[in-house]
Structures are given as C-alpha cells and as structure tokens.
C-alpha cells in the first residue's frame, strides 16, 4: 500500500500540467466514486470545456478513467454526461493499455 506522499510524488513525476494536477487533487479528495465533469470544473473554478485537455493528460498517464453515460434530464431530454474517477489500483485504463 502506498502512502499519500508516495502517490503525490508519483503524480508530480508523471510530467502533467498544473491544471491536470489540480483536477487530480479534486478527484482524489472525492474518493473512489464517479464524479461528473461539471462537478470537477466547478470545484476548480473552471468551465466544463476547460477541463477536457487536463483530463486527457490524466487519462494518458493512467491516473484516471472515464465513463460516458446517456442520461435523461428532468425535462425528458436525453444527453451524454462524462464521469471520472481515479484508476483503481492494479488496473490499466484504455489509454494506458
């Protein structure tokens, strides 16, 4: 089992941008649950379209995984939502594979 200090050292050594690191911290503090991109963007004070590239960086290095869901809104309109969580220990993501 790794300590939080070892985990942060690994993330910093992965050569990701400052924005990607900010997103990683928010996702890590949220735990293992899926978190919507809108909630992540709100937590870091950015717009949802501004987090796309930093999330792609995190996926590229295998730190997070994403899931797209086709959901229905209150007004019965269907739309896609993207959810993100930390990559479970011992697994690889599609980007890292």
């Amino acid at each position: 089992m790794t300590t939080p200090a070892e985990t942060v050292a690994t993330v910093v050594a992965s050569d990701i941008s400052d924005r990607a690191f900010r997103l990683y911290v928010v996702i890590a503090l949220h735990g293992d649950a899926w978190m919507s991109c809108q909630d992540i963007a709100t937590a870091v004070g950015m717009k949802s379209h501004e987090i796309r590239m930093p999330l792609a960086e995190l996926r590229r290095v295998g730190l997070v995984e994403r899931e797209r869901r086709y959901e229905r809104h209150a007004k019965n309109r269907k739309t896609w939502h993207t959810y993100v969580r930390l990559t479970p220990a011992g697994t690889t993501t599609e980007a890292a594979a």
Side-chain angles (χ1 to χ4, degrees), residues 4-97:
E6 292 170 335
T7 303
V8 170
T10 302
V11 172
V12 171
S14 67
D15 194 32
I16 58 173
S17 68
D18 293 341
R19 281 187 171 191
F21 182 74
R22 287 173 52 201
L23 296 184
Y24 177 80
V25 169
V26 167
I27 297 166
L29 290 174
H30 193 265
D32 292 334
W34 291 97
M35 190 173 186
S36 76
C37 285
Q38 185 60 50
D39 291 341
I40 296 168
T42 301
V44 295
M46 297 166 64
K47 306 274 189 225
S48 60
H49 70 276
E50 294 175 318
I51 67 168
R52 289 182 188 152
M53 294 301 289
L55 278 178
E57 286 181 60
L58 294 174
R59 287 185 60 230
R60 178 182 45 83
V61 297
L63 294 172
V64 299
E65 61 183 353
R66 78 171 183 180
E67 178 178 284
R68 296 201 25 121
R69 300 178 191 167
Y70 196 54
E71 298 175 329
R72 189 179 301 266
H73 282 292
K75 294 185 178 183
N76 210 25
R77 188 179 123 230
K78 294 181 180 178
T79 189
W80 285 100
H81 287 132
T82 304
Y83 293 86
V84 180
R85 72 174 178 183
L86 294 181
T87 304
T91 63
T92 60
T93 63
E94 63 207 37

